[in-house]
Amino acid sequence: MNDDHMTSSEQTVTSRLIVILGGARSGKSAFAERLAASRGESVAFIATATAGDDEMRERIARHRASRPKGWHTLEEPLDLVRAVSQAAALADVLLLDCMTLWLGNVLLQTSGQQEKDDESEVEFHTTGKLFDERASKEIEALLAVVNSLGPNKTLIVVTNEVGFGVVPAYFLGRLYRDRLGYVNQRLAQVAERVYLMVAGIAVDIKRLHEEASL
């Protein structure tokens, strides 16, 4: 089924799902961590970043050191279903940071496999189709797992809003931007709360949407 036309009645999440999105350096991660800590419950942090260079290694180490000592940390760049299941066995509040990096990892793996399969040239159409199908399938699998966790569990998901900038000049950039937009829509559709971070301030756009009327 095309995820662009799904309605909330087609996927209902009974455990709490909270989505936090915003641009770069908007305060997403800091707010998510404060929100997780405010519950006063056990927390499991799911990190999707990979250390591709020295700067990223330093950033990962810095973020790891800044987390409360009692938090559990799981590092999983691709398999979110397994990570959330494992995290739920360790804690009641799960913080996934972030979907943006996860989707980038999926795209890199998909495009890399396509290059391997087609030694002459990457088939853009095939790569796009495989990437879209895989991302959609894995998001639905993630929501199914969240739905099975029960009402005592909370998953906080951090993601980027990348649709406010210029259109990427290259195919993979446009492919990534479009799919992340659909991923964000799907998560927001079933989330209990959706916060948009603007200059470090959280705006509850799900509540504004619910209250809006003509």
Side-chain angles (χ1 to χ4, degrees), residues 10-67:
E10 292 170 328
Q11 178 73 54
T12 303
V13 174
T14 56
S15 51
R16 298 192 70 200
L17 174 61
I18 299 172
V19 174
I20 301 170
L21 74 160
R25 290 294 178 266
S26 61
K28 300 183 303 296
S29 295
F31 176 72
E33 292 181 13
R34 291 198 304 272
L35 196 62
S38 70
R39 294 292 303 274
E41 299 172 329
S42 54
V43 178
F45 189 99
I46 303 170
T48 61
T50 57
D53 53 42
D54 290 340
E55 189 275 335
M56 183 58 78
R57 274 187 286 273
E58 292 177 5
R59 181 176 299 195
I60 291 173
R62 188 166 60 250
H63 280 287
R64 188 185 295 127
S66 69
R67 292 173 207 141

Side-chain angles (χ1 to χ4, degrees), residues 1 3-4 102-103 106-107 110 124-139 171 174-180 182-183:
M1 179 179 293
D3 57 356
D4 301 355
W102 167 78
L103 189 64
V106 172
L107 176 58
T110 304
F124 287 163
H125 177 74
T126 302
T127 298
K129 186 172 184 294
L130 290 173
F131 173 61
D132 284 347
E133 289 176 350
R134 179 178 174 185
S136 297
K137 180 179 179 180
E138 295 197 21
I139 287 300
F171 169 75
R174 293 191 297 274
L175 179 66
Y176 173 81
R177 178 206 58 178
D178 291 350
R179 181 47 48 184
L180 182 59
Y182 291 131
V183 166

Side-chain angles (χ1 to χ4, degrees), residues 2 13 78 85-86 141 164 169 202:
N2 190 326
V13 174
L78 290 168
S85 299
Q86 291 177 342
F164 292 155

